[in-house]
Amino acid sequence: MSTATLLLKGKEYELPVMEGSEGETAIDITSLRAKTGAVTFDPGYGNTGSCASAITFIDGEKGILRYRGYPIEELAKSATFVEVCYLLIHGNMPSIPELDAFNEKLTRHSLIHEDMKKFFEGFPPSAHPMAILSAMIASLSAYYPENDNELNIIRLLSKAKTIAAFSYKKSIGQPFIYPRNDLSYTQNFMHMMFAVPAEGYKVTAAIDRALNLLLILHADHEQNCSTSTVRMVGSSGANLFASISAGICALWGPLHGGANQQVIEMLQQIRESGQSAKTFVERAKQKDSGFKLMGFGHRVYKNFDPRATILKRAADDVLSALGKRDPLLQTATELEQIALSDPYFIERKLYPNVDFYSGILYRAMGIPTNMFTVMFALGRLPGWIAQWKEMVDDDKTRINRPRQVYVGSKVRELSEVDEALALTIA
Ligand code: CMC
């Protein structure tokens, strides 16, 4: 085993070095504090490996993303979202009987408890669907309190799409549409979103394929903010539903999954302003403007985000298959071209990320803007579940509890305040 030598205050310490299956090197500092009394300082965790995981591999320099060893490009081309769910959670692509059994279970568990429908009535019509989704997912633990993780995983995967579609129906004042057992996972979601009691809704092959593609591209992304949240909350022993609900809240932020809604709002703002895309690129470069190019930049990808490459290509195909034109696609392409040839973005290695083009596809499919982050959450669900399960099954898991470097006041005496107060009153 190789080691790293740390020289601290004139004394040398040997620390073990771990190597991942793709050659990633990590200095194991689990004994650091016991040996030296020191902790590491890494705000934002940019250099911290919080766990060993066998689920997803990313090489941010080369733009590589693989789920369980399979390149994202291949999965995007030929897998379904349900197959990817199985792959992430169970570690291998399903055989035909395994897939049939998995689909059957997902179909059987897609209804939510009838009493849960009353919750939707309590939300104001203007409620953001992410607020409803996170609350409803946490509430599942009240209805399904059994500690049967395998069953709860199926329940969560299956019911989340029903909850998501119901939250949309609630927001537009239409009656809920129940799932149909003859439809696939993705078809069922679109059916519950867009069918009305008077008439059904036919999910075209182009829409079904686009939805599968989008969900697959979002399915996992190793230790990002929401996944780390799921692991953090789960490490205390919190149940699956509570842990995933916390992840949904983390995803909602505009720097994470909430960016997909913000991208479309930014593109609309550019078009409506009548100003050039270049003006907005210039504004994004000024730190005090409070404006960023949403859908640009990534903590890990420093060359290109392979998901964005796939989505950019798909945007043209999906729009033409659906017979739609979207002027925002033109604005997005223009913005990308200007930013990619600008030294500010080149020097900082800022490229379009998954959120830059996904909204164009969601719009073409008829998904409203405030549902975009919910779509991200539905896609990320199998990744969160797989990561939660990996953590729970690992007997080395400890409660997540980072340290800090305290920079506040040294010890003070309350009596000094009392004296000062007495002086003021006198
Ligand atoms: N527009 C303008 N400048 C940017 C942008 C941007 N979108 N992103 C980063 N920068 C600048 C940043 O100001 C900093 O400049 P300087 O070195 O002069 O201080 C430099 O680039 C490095 O950025 P950072 O903020 O230190 O990088 P980070 O790794 O902490 O943050 C990020 C990554 C994704 C939060 C950030 O790039 C960002 O805010 N992007 C816009 C929001 C977005 O699209 N989020 C979706 C991320 S992908 C989907 C997901 O996984 O959630």
Side-chain angles (χ1 to χ4, degrees), residues 255-256 259 287 292-293 295-297 299 344 348 350 353 355:
L255 299 186
H256 193 6
K287 303 280 180 216
K292 273 184 171 184
L293 274 200
F296 257 76
R299 173 65 62 81
Y344 173 97
R348 288 170 181 75
L350 302 171
N353 58 50
D355 293 323

Side-chain angles (χ1 to χ4, degrees), residues 137-405:
I137 296 293
S139 307
L140 286 174
S141 46
Y143 287 88
Y144 307 99
E146 310 92 322
N147 242 350
D148 182 342
N149 287 344
E150 290 310 311
L151 182 56
N152 285 343
I153 285 172
I154 293 288
R155 282 172 169 152
L156 177 56
L157 269 178
S158 192
K159 293 178 199 308
K161 68 177 184 325
T162 310
I163 291 171
F166 281 17
S167 71
Y168 171 59
K169 285 296 195 191
K170 154 79 191 170
S171 74
I172 56 169
Q174 282 187 6
F176 301 137
I177 299 292
Y178 282 72
R180 269 178 33 192
N181 287 3
D182 60 321
L183 296 179
S184 72
Y185 187 96
T186 43
Q187 288 168 338
N188 240 326
F189 173 69
M190 294 303 276
H191 160 75
M192 289 188 282
M193 284 282 290
F194 297 114
V196 284
E199 58 185 39
Y201 169 81
K202 176 97 183 73
V203 187
T204 63
I207 287 201
D208 194 25
R209 189 61 225 145
L211 181 56
N212 272 283
L213 174 72
L214 282 155
L215 297 180
I216 289 170
L217 293 180
H218 288 86
D220 195 45
H221 217 233
E222 50 118 303
Q223 308 313 316
N224 56 83
C225 176
S226 56
T227 303
S228 299
T229 302
V230 168
R231 280 187 179 257
M232 170 76 86
V233 173
S235 76
S236 74
N239 69 56
L240 173 71
F241 304 120
S243 307
I244 302 286
S245 169
I248 292 171
C249 293
L251 184 77
W252 192 3
L255 299 186
H256 193 6
N260 58 11
Q261 175 173 344
Q262 304 253 332
V263 169
I264 289 298
E265 288 168 357
M266 173 185 75
L267 296 175
Q268 278 165 335
Q269 190 194 348
I270 294 174
R271 284 197 80 82
E272 282 160 18
S273 73
Q275 292 175 314
S276 66
K278 190 157 178 28
T279 313
F280 284 82
V281 171
E282 289 304 320
R283 199 188 299 168
K285 287 156 54 179
Q286 287 152 20
K287 303 280 180 216
D288 54 2
S289 69
F291 178 78
K292 273 184 171 184
L293 274 200
M294 298 313 283
F296 257 76
H298 200 276
R299 173 65 62 81
V300 182
Y301 293 121
K302 296 298 169 201
N303 192 342
F304 66 95
D305 178 340
R307 305 166 300 173
T309 309
I310 297 171
L311 280 179
K312 185 182 179 185
R313 222 173 291 136
D316 279 329
D317 296 349
V318 170
L319 259 62
S320 65
L322 297 177
K324 302 214 169 165
R325 289 186 56 219
D326 189 343
L328 294 190
L329 179 57
Q330 196 196 327
T331 310
T333 314
E334 203 184 327
L335 200 63
E336 181 187 354
Q337 275 166 2
I338 296 168
L340 290 186
S341 53
D342 189 298
Y344 173 97
F345 290 86
I346 295 169
E347 279 158 23
R348 288 170 181 75
K349 301 186 174 183
L350 302 171
Y351 296 87
N353 58 50
V354 69
D355 293 323
F356 195 67
Y357 283 105
S358 62
I360 305 275
L361 276 91
Y362 290 136
R363 267 163 66 90
M365 293 159 67
I367 309 266
T369 312
N370 70 352
M371 282 290 287
F372 288 2
T373 313
V374 169
M375 301 305 295
F376 193 149
L378 286 184
R380 185 55 55 86
L381 212 47
W384 287 330
I385 292 171
Q387 302 268 353
W388 182 86
K389 187 171 177 298
E390 185 175 63
M391 181 208 59
V392 168
D393 291 346
D394 182 353
D395 53 17
K396 287 201 235 26
T397 295
R398 301 170 73 198
I399 188 167
N400 288 7
R401 204 304 185 186
R403 294 275 173 168
Q404 64 168 13
V405 176

